[in-house]
Amino acid sequence: MITIVAKFTLKAGKKQEFIQAVTPMIEGSRKESGNVSYNLFEDIRNNNILTFIEEWKDKGAIDFHNQTEHFLTGLDVIKELSENIEITQYQKL
Amino acid sequence: MITIVAKFTLKAGKKQEFIQAVTPMIEGSRKESGNVSYNLFEDIRNNNILTFIEEWKDKGAIDFHNQTEHFLTGLDVIKELSENIEITQYQKL
């Protein structure tokens, strides 16, 4: 299993637009057979920081995901709305 | 529920020492009634980065956790073994 933590620091005032843009991405991702979980979180102390925590069955599942339309469409928008992006892939110890 | 992502960039060569130091902390934390899950992950691309993803029932559970001996003892050691520490508390959207 691979866990992805994808942290976005949004440009000021872009939160609602961000959430709208990622909603189809969340729904589409959860339907992929290689997805285990896919959730969006907000930093309690700074609500301009939004983070996905995603669990995927294996590397193949992520490779597939990265080619889906819901991912590519969402990614374009969230890149534009973000000031800083930090994506890390993890394996459990 | 509150999710904590605690990311540690270790000083060179300190990984085994870090894992040894956090093992009692992991075991103790999982036994706390306010803990939902508590897992340690390794960055797939940089195995000097170790991250806890922790789920807690509520703020009271975290306040209690922050006073436990297994947490305070572990924290002292991991502070010493880390070059950079980034801890974020999240709520699910």
Side-chain angles (χ1 to χ4, degrees):
Chain A
M1 192 140 94
I2 297 173
T3 299
I4 295 179
V5 177
K7 184 175 183 174
F8 301 89
T9 306
L10 306 190
K11 292 177 185 164
K14 295 298 186 187
K15 192 172 166 192
Q16 284 322 306
E17 212 176 318
F18 184 97
I19 290 173
Q20 259 186 333
V22 299
T23 300
M25 196 170 82
I26 294 171
E27 286 164 4
S29 300
R30 285 177 177 158
K31 284 179 189 149
E32 290 176 49
S33 66
N35 181 254
V36 179
S37 70
Y38 197 101
N39 289 298
L40 181 59
F41 296 84
E42 172 185 78
D43 184 333
I44 287 174
R45 295 189 184 88
N46 178 353
N47 67 11
N48 248 1
I49 294 179
L50 296 181
T51 293
F52 290 99
I53 301 179
E54 314 166 16
E55 293 176 297
W56 298 92
K57 283 188 184 152
D58 52 30
K59 191 183 169 302
I62 295 173
D63 290 344
F64 178 87
H65 171 66
N66 287 343
Q67 312 264 353
T68 60
E69 204 188 312
H70 53 257
F71 172 74
L72 293 168
T73 306
L75 185 67
D76 276 347
V77 184
I78 65 186
K79 270 184 183 168
E80 231 183 270
L81 302 176
S82 300
E83 209 162 78
N84 190 56
I85 300 177
E86 187 189 322
I87 298 173
T88 313
Q89 287 194 13
Y90 290 106
Q91 59 193 355
K92 202 187 270 190
L93 286 186
Chain B
M1 192 138 96
I2 297 171
T3 299
I4 296 178
V5 177
K7 184 174 183 174
F8 301 89
T9 306
L10 307 190
K11 291 177 186 166
K14 295 298 185 187
K15 191 172 166 191
Q16 284 321 308
E17 211 176 318
F18 184 98
I19 290 172
Q20 259 186 332
V22 300
T23 300
M25 196 171 80
I26 294 171
E27 287 165 3
S29 301
R30 285 178 177 159
K31 284 180 188 148
E32 290 178 49
S33 65
N35 182 254
V36 179
S37 71
Y38 197 104
N39 290 297
L40 181 59
F41 296 85
E42 173 185 78
D43 185 334
I44 287 174
R45 295 191 184 86
N46 176 354
N47 68 10
N48 247 2
I49 294 180
L50 296 181
T51 293
F52 290 99
I53 301 180
E54 315 167 16
E55 293 176 298
W56 298 92
K57 283 189 183 151
D58 52 28
K59 189 183 171 302
I62 294 172
D63 291 343
F64 178 87
H65 172 65
N66 287 344
Q67 312 264 352
T68 58
E69 204 188 313
H70 54 258
F71 172 73
L72 294 168
T73 306
L75 185 66
D76 277 348
V77 184
I78 65 186
K79 271 184 181 168
E80 230 183 270
L81 302 177
S82 300
E83 209 163 78
N84 190 56
I85 300 177
E86 187 190 323
I87 298 174
T88 313
Q89 289 193 12
Y90 291 105
Q91 59 194 353
K92 202 187 271 190
L93 286 186

